[in-house]
Amino acid sequence: MESTKIAPFEATSIDSIPETVNRCKATFRSQITKPLEYRLRQLRQLYWGLTDYSDSLVEACKQDLGKPTFETFITEIDWCKNDILYVTKNLKKWMKDEAAPDISLSNTFVKPRIRKDPLGTVLIIGAYNFPVQLAVGPFIGAIAAGCTGVLKPSELSPATAMVLKTIFEKYLDSNAFTVVNGAISETTALLNEKWDKIFYTGSAMVGTIVAKKAAETLTPICLELGGLNPAVITKNADPRIAARRLLWGKLMNAGQVCISQNYVLVEKDILPAFVEHLKLALNEFYPNGQKNSPDYGRIVNQRHFTRIKKMLDETRGKVLIGGNTDEADNFIETTVVEVTDTDDPMIVNESFGPLIPILKFDGVDEAIRISNAVHSTPLGFYPFGNRAETDKMLNEVTSGGASVNDAFFHGSISNLAFGGVGYSGQGAYRGKASFDTFTHRRSITTTPSWMEKLLSVRYPPYDGKLAKIRAMNNAKPNFDRNCKEIKDLRYWFKLLLSLGSDSFKSALTKWAAVFLFAIVVNKFVDKF
C-alpha cells in the first residue's frame, strides 16, 4: 500500500490544457490504443493503482465527505475494481466484429458486419458524491473501447481528485490518459476543446451548459443527471421492508445519491405503520444516534448544507423524525417530513441529502398521477406493492431505471446498464454499456470481384432493369390491406420449421431438444 499522505489540491494550469488534449489526440491517431493487449494492460494497471492507493482513497473520501470506510470500499474502490475485472474478462468478445442481423440472402455475399471502433479522444467530468466511482467508472469504458481521454474530477471532492491524479500519472500511459484538476475556469477551458465524446455526471443545470457547448461542434454526449425520483408504497406493501430499504437509500452517503428517492408517496392506510418502522429502523441502525456514528457521512460542504437546511426551514410540512443539524460539522440528521401538497419545497426541489418527505395518496391511480406531474422522466422509480400494482406503475411511470420493492438496487449492480431518460439524462454506461458508449458501431461490407456481373443491373443505362432489381430487393408484406397478418402456406411452413422461435439459434436449440427426446423415446421403446 502507498502512503496515505494526500497532496493539497492544486488546479491544473489552464495554459497547459490545449497541449494536454493535443497529446491525447496524437496518441489516439498513433493507433497504439486499439490493440486488445494495450487496453487490457491499461485496465489491469488501473486495477493495481486502485488497490495500492485504497488507503489513500479511503482517507480522501473521509476528508471530502466524511464517508464511512465501508461505503468507500463497497461503492467506490471495490465497485471499480470489480468492473475492471468484468470488462477485462469480456473485452476480447466485445471487440470482435458482429455479423449483421436480418440480412437478405442477396446481400450476404458482401459479408455485412459491424466493427467496434473507438470514438477517439474523450472528456469525462466526474461528480463529488461518489468521487471515485463516477470518475473512474466511465473511464474504464473509455479505455476498454480504445479511446484516449481526459478526466476532470469534481473540485468539491479535492482530496480524492488529487489521489486520482497520482494514480493516473503513476499507473497509466500519460500520453493517452490524464487528469485535469480545477473548477469552473478549467472546466470551461476543457469544454472549449474539440472532443469525440463528452461524458458528464452532475446536475441538470450544468448538464444543459455541457450539452449546449457540445452542440456547437456536434460532439456526442452522455449525460448522467438527477431527478425527483418517487417511491410509492401501497397498502399491500410490507411497511417494515419498505421502511428499511428506503431508509437505507437515504442513509448511504448521507443521502447524496442522485438515484435515491426524492420523496415517498404512501397510501394513507399504511402511513402510520410505515413511519413507525422508519423510527425502529433508525434506532437499530444508529443505536447511539447518527451524529456519533462512524457509519454516517456528512454533507460535502457548507454551501450544500445551507441549501438542504433551507429546504427543511421552508417546508410547510410536519417533521415526524429527526430534524437536527450542525452547521460546523456539515451534519444533517435523516429527517422525515409529512407534507400536504406537491408544491412543498421538499417535493419541488431535489434534496440530494438525507431528507425524506412523505405525501399521502388514495389509490394507485393517484400515485401515478402525482409521480408523472412532479417529474415525468425521473432517474429512478421505486414502487412497493403487490405484483399487479407494481406492474401497473412500471407501465405508466417513465424513469431511467427502477427497482421494485427496493431502493435503487438496479443502480447497485456494477455491470447493469445505468442511465437516465429525458430530463434525467441520456445514454448509459457500466459493464458492456460503458464499452458501447465510447464505441462507434461501424457498418462494413466487402464486395468480391466475382459479383460484378450480378451488380451490372445497378449501372446505367437503366432501360429494362427496373423489374429485375425490384425482384431482387423488394420484400413482400406479411399483412393485408386491413393490416391483418397473412397466414398462408409460407407462414405455417416457417412456423413449423422454426418451432415458433424468433431466431435461428433458438430454433436450432428446440430442434436439438426434439431430436434428443426422440432418441430417448426410441431407446425406451426398444428396451421394452
Side-chain angles (χ1 to χ4, degrees):
M1 293 292 177
E2 298 291 337
S3 169
T4 57
K5 185 178 180 180
I6 300 171
F9 184 76
E10 182 180 1
T12 302
S13 167
I14 292 177
D15 293 338
S16 70
I17 288 176
E19 180 184 350
T20 296
V21 176
N22 287 334
R23 183 173 68 249
C24 290
K25 289 181 177 181
T27 301
F28 179 75
R29 290 193 298 270
S30 74
Q31 309 298 315
I32 69 166
T33 65
K34 291 185 177 180
L36 172 65
E37 293 73 18
Y38 177 90
R39 305 183 199 189
L40 289 176
R41 179 170 180 79
Q42 296 303 309
L43 289 168
R44 289 165 180 167
Q45 285 284 97
L46 181 56
Y47 178 93
W48 291 119
L50 293 170
T51 300
D52 294 344
Y53 277 84
S54 59
D55 288 346
S56 295
L57 290 170
V58 167
E59 176 60 28
C61 287
K62 194 176 295 293
Q63 289 183 24
D64 291 334
L65 291 147
K67 185 169 290 196
T69 300
F70 176 91
E71 291 185 14
T72 299
F73 272 106
I74 298 303
T75 69
E76 305 273 15
I77 301 169
D78 291 349
W79 177 290
C80 293
K81 289 171 65 177
N82 287 335
D83 196 24
I84 290 172
L85 294 178
Y86 176 77
V87 170
T88 55
K89 180 181 178 181
N90 291 281
L91 185 54
K92 183 177 181 180
K93 175 177 63 178
W94 297 344
M95 287 176 61
K96 289 181 179 178
D97 287 0
E98 289 180 15
D102 303 321
I103 298 298
S104 64
L105 180 62
S106 60
N107 289 323
T108 57
F109 301 113
V110 297
K111 300 179 181 177
R113 59 202 182 275
I114 307 296
R115 177 166 294 176
K116 286 67 167 290
D117 283 348
L119 286 176
T121 301
V122 302
L123 170 63
I124 295 171
I125 304 174
Y128 71 81
N129 54 324
F130 291 94
V132 181
Q133 181 198 138
L134 299 182
V136 175
F139 219 96
I140 292 169
I143 296 173
C147 296
T148 59
V150 173
L151 171 63
K152 165 58 180 67
S154 173
E155 70 277 11
L156 300 186
S157 48
T160 308
M162 292 305 293
V163 177
L164 290 177
K165 185 174 187 293
T166 300
I167 292 173
F168 271 53
E169 290 175 347
K170 190 170 181 179
Y171 290 83
L172 297 182
D173 180 353
S174 60
N175 289 318
F177 314 110
T178 191
V179 170
V180 168
N181 277 325
I184 295 176
S185 298
E186 290 75 17
T187 304
T188 301
L190 286 168
L191 290 174
N192 285 334
E193 298 293 324
K194 176 66 178 79
W195 303 93
D196 295 300
K197 188 158 193 174
I198 299 174
F199 189 110
Y200 169 77
T201 302
S203 70
M205 181 185 71
V206 177
T208 302
I209 296 171
V210 172
K212 286 181 178 179
K213 192 64 181 177
E216 293 178 4
T217 52
L218 298 180
T219 300
I221 54 176
C222 183
L223 300 177
E224 298 296 342
L225 311 176
L228 305 179
N229 310 315
V232 180
I233 305 172
T234 76
K235 61 185 178 183
N236 294 308
D238 183 324
R240 179 178 180 273
I241 287 178
R244 292 171 67 86
R245 294 177 181 180
L246 289 177
L247 185 59
W248 169 80
K250 276 296 182 180
L251 299 176
M252 173 72 69
N253 207 30
Q256 297 164 108
V257 184
C258 62
I259 199 173
S260 68
Q261 74 276 3
N262 197 65
Y263 62 97
V264 184
L265 300 176
V266 184
E267 199 156 13
K268 61 182 182 180
D269 295 344
I270 204 173
L271 178 58
F274 176 67
V275 173
E276 184 59 30
H277 281 293
L278 284 174
K279 293 177 182 177
L280 292 172
L282 263 174
N283 290 332
E284 177 188 341
F285 297 162
Y286 304 103
N288 297 316
Q290 289 181 304
K291 187 74 163 63
N292 301 316
S293 174
D295 299 329
Y296 187 72
R298 296 297 185 266
I299 304 306
V300 66
N301 57 28
Q302 192 170 50
R303 177 169 66 87
H304 283 284
F305 172 91
T306 302
R307 175 186 59 78
I308 299 169
K309 180 68 163 55
K310 183 180 179 183
M311 291 176 61
L312 193 54
D313 292 339
E314 293 181 351
T315 181
R316 298 182 296 275
K318 178 183 178 182
V319 175
L320 303 179
I321 301 172
N324 295 315
T325 64
D326 182 351
E327 185 175 1
D329 193 28
N330 287 334
F331 168 80
I332 296 181
E333 188 177 29
T334 300
T335 303
V336 180
V337 180
E338 183 180 357
V339 300
T340 57
D341 59 74
T342 56
D343 292 330
D344 193 278
M346 299 275 279
I347 301 288
V348 173
N349 301 305
E350 182 181 3
S351 69
F352 212 66
L355 307 183
I356 306 178
I358 295 175
L359 180 63
K360 289 187 293 187
F361 71 89
D362 188 9
V364 172
D365 287 335
E366 184 183 10
I368 291 171
R369 180 186 60 77
I370 294 172
S371 298
N372 288 328
V374 171
H375 189 173
S376 61
T377 56
L379 183 59
F381 178 52
Y382 312 107
F384 291 74
N386 61 35
R387 178 66 178 272
E389 290 169 332
T390 57
D391 282 351
K392 179 179 174 64
M393 288 187 279
L394 284 175
N395 188 53
E396 298 185 29
V397 176
T398 299
S399 65
S403 293
V404 177
N405 293 330
D406 209 342
F408 64 82
F409 200 106
H410 72 283
S412 66
I413 301 174
S414 63
N415 58 356
L416 181 64
F418 175 88
V421 60
Y423 202 66
S424 62
Q426 56 184 271
Y429 75 116
R430 293 183 180 171
K432 185 175 184 297
S434 292
F435 172 83
D436 291 339
T437 203
F438 294 105
T439 297
H440 169 57
R441 293 176 60 84
R442 186 182 182 189
S443 298
I444 298 175
T445 61
T446 301
T447 308
S449 299
W450 63 261
M451 284 187 66
E452 186 60 20
K453 188 172 183 179
L454 294 174
L455 295 175
S456 63
V457 71
R458 68 185 182 179
Y459 302 136
Y462 298 134
D463 186 42
K465 295 180 178 179
L466 180 59
K468 186 183 294 186
I469 199 166
R470 292 188 72 195
M472 290 171 58
N473 292 333
N474 288 5
K476 293 182 179 180
N478 65 340
F479 51 87
D480 60 23
R481 286 188 171 273
N482 294 317
C483 302
K484 301 290 186 181
E485 187 174 7
I486 299 172
K487 296 184 178 180
D488 55 11
L489 186 60
R490 287 180 303 170
Y491 170 85
W492 294 110
F493 179 74
K494 182 180 178 182
L495 186 67
L496 177 63
L497 195 63
S498 66
L499 295 180
S501 301
D502 293 327
S503 68
F504 175 76
K505 184 177 180 180
S506 177
L508 197 63
T509 302
K510 287 184 178 181
W511 274 113
V514 168
F515 281 119
L516 182 62
F517 178 74
I519 291 171
V520 172
V521 170
N522 186 56
K523 287 187 176 182
F524 181 80
V525 170
D526 289 345
K527 186 176 181 180
F528 293 95

